[in-house]
Amino acid sequence: MSIVERTAHDPYPEFTAGLRRLTGIDLDQYKRPQMERRIRTWITARHGDDDLLAELRRLRADDEELDAFLDRMTINVSQLWRNPEQWERIGRDVLPDLRAAGPARPLRIWSAGCSYGAEAYTLAAHVLDAGPGVRAEIVGTDIDNRVVARARRGIFSDADARDAPRDALLRHFEQTADGTWAARPALRALVRFEQGDLLRVRPRREHHDLILCRNTVIYFTEEVRDALHERLVEALRPGGYLIVGATERVARAADLGLEPTHPFTYRKVG
Ligand SMILES: C[S@@+](CC[C@H](N)C(=O)[O-])C[C@H]1O[C@@H](n2cnc3c(N)ncnc32)[C@H](O)[C@@H]1O
């Protein structure tokens, strides 16, 4: 469709409003050019044209179409030990600091935008490896209830494990007959998963010691991303850490009361 035609009748707002009513997912909070291109390319590959309103009708009528659409739109890519250098810092510096300067209760850790749980289970492995002095409750949340159900199963493919250090992988996961990796009970005991939209949730003030929000805000508009980071900082106790993805940053971090301690790692001053 040409720009002129699109200006004459712009179906995108009607599409996003319809999808919001159908699923609760608000695409207006995401960067339109990338999201619209992604949707139109996907519809064209599947149905031969990029008629958004015809697609909305299909999504309403056909659960399989809706599943396939959400799979494409929510971009659930993840893996165990994703960005190993970040995990090295978490294990070497962040968890020991939280243990030394933190509360006596178990650490409250949040994997915000957890996808199918690889990040939360990797966190749990680092908590166990940090020794008996570190205890934690890890909660993973994601907007997509299908990945949340997968996260609860705690089973990962060989590809998911490709960057995991072999000794740690064997310590915390059991390889099953079909070659997948199943989280061991001690790991599973530390994690739980909930469905939730980061753009709607109102987290408790100063509740968390560590929040990971990695590779989840990249498709949000800048305003939405910055407002989310602000809410995440409010949810951190002073001395707690916020860790973002390896291509991301927190805008005006100092104004929010954050000091960078390592690349992509911020500590709330206090
Ligand atoms: C690329 S994955 C990142 C997974 C993990 N944090 C990592 O870095 O490997 C992004 C996840 O963010 C989730 N997501 C997108 N928008 C969200 C929202 N508004 N609320 C909660 N989760 C959201 C997607 O469903 C997806 O599973």
Side-chain angles (χ1 to χ4, degrees):
M1 186 186 282
S2 73
I3 291 182
V4 177
E5 282 170 293
R6 204 173 289 173
T7 316
H9 171 67
D10 180 1
Y12 190 73
E14 196 177 332
F15 179 81
T16 59
L19 191 78
R20 191 171 54 241
R21 277 194 295 277
L22 188 61
T23 65
I25 295 176
D26 185 0
L27 292 184
D28 291 338
Q29 311 281 322
Y30 296 72
K31 291 176 190 153
R32 175 167 172 173
Q34 286 92 327
M35 190 50 85
E36 186 172 358
R37 194 176 329 116
R38 176 175 281 273
I39 293 170
R40 286 185 183 276
T41 307
W42 185 82
I43 302 176
T44 306
R46 219 171 145 85
H47 301 290
D49 66 51
D50 69 349
D51 184 337
L52 290 175
L53 299 182
E55 179 60 15
L56 183 59
R57 285 192 291 277
R58 282 190 292 268
L59 294 174
R60 286 196 185 111
D62 180 351
D63 284 350
E64 272 179 32
E65 180 78 4
L66 183 60
D67 258 4
F69 176 81
L70 292 178
D71 256 347
R72 184 73 185 97
M73 290 316 119
T74 52
I75 314 145
N76 304 125
V77 177
S78 193
Q79 69 179 94
L80 296 165
W81 274 263
R82 183 177 193 176
N83 298 116
E85 65 294 345
Q86 284 194 323
W87 290 107
E88 213 179 293
R89 289 190 288 267
I90 291 169
R92 190 191 57 215
D93 300 327
V94 175
L95 289 175
D97 182 53
L98 287 172
R99 175 175 54 181
R105 57 163 174 74
L107 298 175
R108 296 177 187 141
I109 304 181
W110 182 12
S111 167
C114 65
S115 185
Y116 53 93
E119 184 174 271
Y121 286 98
T122 308
L123 266 166
H126 282 79
V127 166
L128 291 181
D129 286 346
V134 181
R135 293 175 304 134
E137 295 161 357
I138 300 168
V139 62
T141 64
D142 201 283
I143 197 169
D144 181 347
N145 53 20
R146 295 152 320 137
V147 286
V148 171
R150 239 180 102 189
R152 290 186 180 130
R153 288 197 288 278
I155 294 177
F156 298 91
S157 70
D158 224 16
D160 284 326
R162 64 190 179 278
D163 284 341
R166 190 78 190 168
D167 54 338
L169 185 65
L170 290 168
R171 215 168 27 254
H172 298 294
F173 293 82
E174 192 176 353
Q175 194 157 31
T176 62
D178 61 4
T180 57
W181 294 92
R184 293 187 190 276
L187 214 55
R188 303 175 68 95
L190 297 189
V191 298
R192 68 189 165 80
F193 295 95
E194 290 169 8
Q195 197 250 342
D197 184 344
L198 284 171
L199 303 180
R200 289 162 189 243
V201 73
R202 290 279 164 271
R204 277 171 62 185
R205 280 185 75 80
E206 303 195 356
H207 184 72
H208 290 92
D209 301 288
L210 169 59
I211 300 175
L212 272 74
C213 185
R214 305 188 311 155
N215 311 304
T216 294
V217 299
I218 33 180
Y219 300 101
F220 294 161
T221 65
E222 282 178 17
E223 302 80 65
V224 168
R225 178 201 64 194
D226 293 349
L228 172 63
H229 280 153
E230 199 171 329
R231 285 203 306 283
L232 295 181
V233 175
E234 278 168 21
L236 273 182
R237 68 157 172 85
Y241 285 84
L242 172 63
I243 298 181
V244 299
T247 56
E248 299 165 357
R249 68 185 186 92
V250 177
R252 300 186 316 280
D255 293 347
L256 298 183
L258 293 177
E259 57 175 11
T261 60
H262 305 82
F264 319 109
T265 304
Y266 301 85
R267 187 172 172 279
K268 185 166 174 176
V269 178

